[in-house]
């Protein structure tokens, strides 16, 4: 069971693999801890000694800009020694298995692995095989989970909206292929968001998505009406099999977030996107760069949130 693996017997976070099943107490503790780290970014010396002497290995088997870089910044701000394995030039290309790679890095006295992998469950597999003192943090696995993205999104919502209890939130787009959406849905339901919608064509929604506690809308006209928070998702062309959509142009016309469609939401609605964006496909540049957008603050908050997660698992 992943959720048992994540917590120590006395209830502390040891690995972060998924937000599914993590109690509100832990989610709130991460957000509160992150709050205390935000101001470090404004200091001349952006460092605290919490992970001094710890070896953090970033293992990114799939491309990344935001997650890999902000994990590295976060680990360095915590004074850890950070090692980025270059997968393209590693012995993975000679056929070494994932677990053999991890065993060899563990022999180099690793304390933490931050793992992104195209296969769902890869970080969980690693967590089952590492020594008890080593923590594993999932940086996005297949379609399964992207817990630190979900957490930085919760941090952003709490920052701009003050909490979750009176909010209407819409997650719009390719929910089917999105690990981010799954993590956001688990977090928002756990933290008490009363009205959570997913908005997408039927072909981009997982079967029985309602069982996750969301209301399904097939049109933007009903889906983002009176929303406080609109989270746009990237159309994940690389994960699509078969013809799930007529064309990018049709998609933009019906589900792309444009200045006109923004008028359906509350006047003070915020717009989020985990990145990378497909401008002119799921979001218009005037919205992405406009006054409702908090897309770049999401990235900045990601540093503090990842510092919080790493400091908590290292202290477990
Ligand atoms: N949001 C996100 O995971 O972006 P990257 O793929 O650039 O890390």
């Amino acid at each position: 069971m992943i959720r048992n693996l994540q917590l120590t017997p006395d209830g502390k976070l040891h690995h972060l693999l998924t937000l599914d099943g993590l109690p509100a107490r832990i989610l709130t503790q991460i957000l509160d801890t992150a709050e205390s780290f935000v101001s470090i970014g404004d200091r001349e010396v952006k460092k605290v000694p919490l992970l001094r002497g710890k070896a953090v290995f970033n293992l990114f088997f799939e491309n990344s800009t935001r997650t890999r870089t902000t994990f590295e910044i976060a680990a360095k701000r915590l004074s850890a020694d950070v090692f980025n394995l270059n997968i393209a030039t590693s012995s993975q290309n000679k056929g070494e298995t994932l677990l053999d790679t991890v065993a060899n890095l563990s022999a180099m006295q690793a304390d933490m692995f931050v793992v992104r992998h195209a296969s769902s469950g890869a970080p969980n597999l690693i967590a089952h095989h590492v020594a008890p003192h080593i923590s594993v943090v999932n940086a996005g696995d297949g379609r399964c989970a992207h817990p630190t993205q979900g957490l930085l999104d919760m941090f952003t919502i709490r920052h701009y909206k003050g909490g979750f209890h009176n909010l209407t939130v819409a997650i719009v787009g390719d929910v089917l292929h999105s690990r981010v959406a799954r993590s956001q849905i688990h977090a928002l339901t756990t933290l008490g968001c009363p009205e959570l919608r997913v908005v997408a064509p039927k072909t981009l929604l997982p079967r029985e998505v309602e069982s996750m506690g969301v209301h399904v809308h097939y049109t933007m006209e009903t889906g983002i009406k009176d929303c406080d928070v609109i989270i746009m998702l990237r159309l994940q062309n690389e994960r699509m099999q078969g013809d799930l959509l007529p064309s990018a142009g049709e998609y933009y016309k019906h589900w792309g977030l444009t200045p006109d469609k923004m008028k359906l939401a509350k006047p003070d609605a915020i717009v989020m996107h985990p990145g990378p964006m497909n401008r002119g496909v799921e979001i218009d540049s005037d919205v992405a760069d406009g006054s409702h957008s908090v897309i770049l603050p999401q990235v900045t908050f990601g540093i503090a949130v990842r510092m919080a997660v790493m400091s908590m698992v290292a202290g477990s």
Side-chain angles (χ1 to χ4, degrees), residues 60 63-68 116 139 146 149 179-180 274-276 306:
F60 278 66
N63 295 345
S64 169
T65 296
R66 283 144 287 268
T67 312
R68 200 202 64 75
R116 167 167 291 192
H146 195 345
Q149 179 70 46
R179 56 196 176 208
V180 173
R306 290 174 172 129

Side-chain angles (χ1 to χ4, degrees), residues 172-173 199-202 204 217-224 232 245-258 260-262 264 280-283:
V172 182
V199 189
K202 208 168 191 164
L204 292 185
H217 291 257
Y218 298 113
T219 70
M220 292 292 266
E221 285 65 33
T222 64
I224 65 168
M232 300 306 295
L245 291 170
S247 70
E250 280 288 298
Y251 184 82
Y252 176 70
K253 184 174 158 197
H254 294 289
W255 290 280
L257 189 59
T258 58
D260 256 6
K261 292 200 191 95
M262 271 309 296
L264 295 159
V281 179
E282 70 260 1
I283 190 163

Side-chain angles (χ1 to χ4, degrees), residues 15-236:
H15 301 295
L16 180 65
L17 305 173
T18 176
L19 301 184
D20 185 7
L22 268 193
R25 165 184 69 80
I26 294 280
L27 300 185
T28 306
Q29 188 188 357
I30 295 169
L31 301 186
D32 291 346
T33 307
E35 202 83 61
S36 71
F37 287 136
V38 169
S39 63
I40 291 172
D42 300 326
R43 293 187 199 164
E44 198 174 315
V45 179
K46 298 175 175 52
K47 269 196 190 298
V48 289
L50 290 170
L51 259 63
R52 188 150 60 198
K54 301 278 186 193
V56 174
F57 282 75
N58 280 331
L59 309 183
F60 278 66
F61 296 87
E62 200 190 65
N63 295 345
S64 169
T65 296
R66 283 144 287 268
T67 312
R68 200 202 64 75
T69 311
T70 53
F71 262 114
E72 182 173 349
I73 294 169
K76 286 179 172 169
R77 286 191 183 174
L78 292 166
S79 307
D81 297 320
V82 186
F83 305 92
N84 296 305
L85 185 68
N86 185 340
I87 303 297
T89 58
S90 77
S91 291
Q92 286 273 311
N93 288 330
K94 299 178 195 166
E96 187 168 64
T97 67
L98 176 63
L99 289 179
D100 275 338
T101 298
V102 167
N104 279 272
L105 298 175
S106 297
M108 298 173 202
Q109 301 179 317
D111 295 293
M112 194 183 302
F113 290 113
V114 177
V115 182
R116 167 167 291 192
H117 207 288
S119 297
S120 297
N124 187 25
L125 179 74
I126 295 170
H128 270 100
H129 285 85
V130 291
H133 73 278
I134 296 177
S135 291
V136 178
V137 180
N138 182 358
D141 63 326
R143 292 186 196 184
C144 184
H146 195 345
T148 57
Q149 179 70 46
L151 288 163
L152 76 87
D153 294 336
M154 296 311 107
F155 189 95
T156 305
I157 292 172
R158 195 174 78 162
H159 178 85
Y160 286 101
K161 295 294 169 188
F164 302 92
H165 289 282
N166 298 311
L167 296 184
T168 298
V169 178
I171 301 173
V172 182
D174 187 0
V175 181
L176 179 65
H177 301 102
S178 177
R179 56 196 176 208
V180 173
R182 284 166 181 75
S183 290
Q184 290 165 338
I185 291 168
H186 290 309
L188 283 163
T189 51
T190 303
L191 292 169
C193 173
E195 174 66 12
L196 178 53
R197 305 172 184 171
V198 292
V199 189
K202 208 168 191 164
T203 49
L204 292 185
L205 288 171
R207 262 185 230 150
E208 297 173 17
V209 66
E210 291 95 337
S211 67
M212 297 181 77
V214 300
H215 295 123
V216 173
H217 291 257
Y218 298 113
T219 70
M220 292 292 266
E221 285 65 33
T222 64
I224 65 168
K225 190 167 168 45
D226 298 328
C227 272
D228 300 283
V229 178
I230 304 171
I231 304 174
M232 300 306 295
L233 298 175
R234 183 171 69 88
L235 212 51
Q236 300 198 20

Side-chain angles (χ1 to χ4, degrees), residues 232-234 271-278 282-283 295 298:
M232 300 306 295
L233 298 175
R234 183 171 69 88
V271 173
M272 299 167 58
H273 193 305
M277 288 184 278
N278 296 308
E282 70 260 1
I283 190 163
I295 293 169
Q298 282 176 265

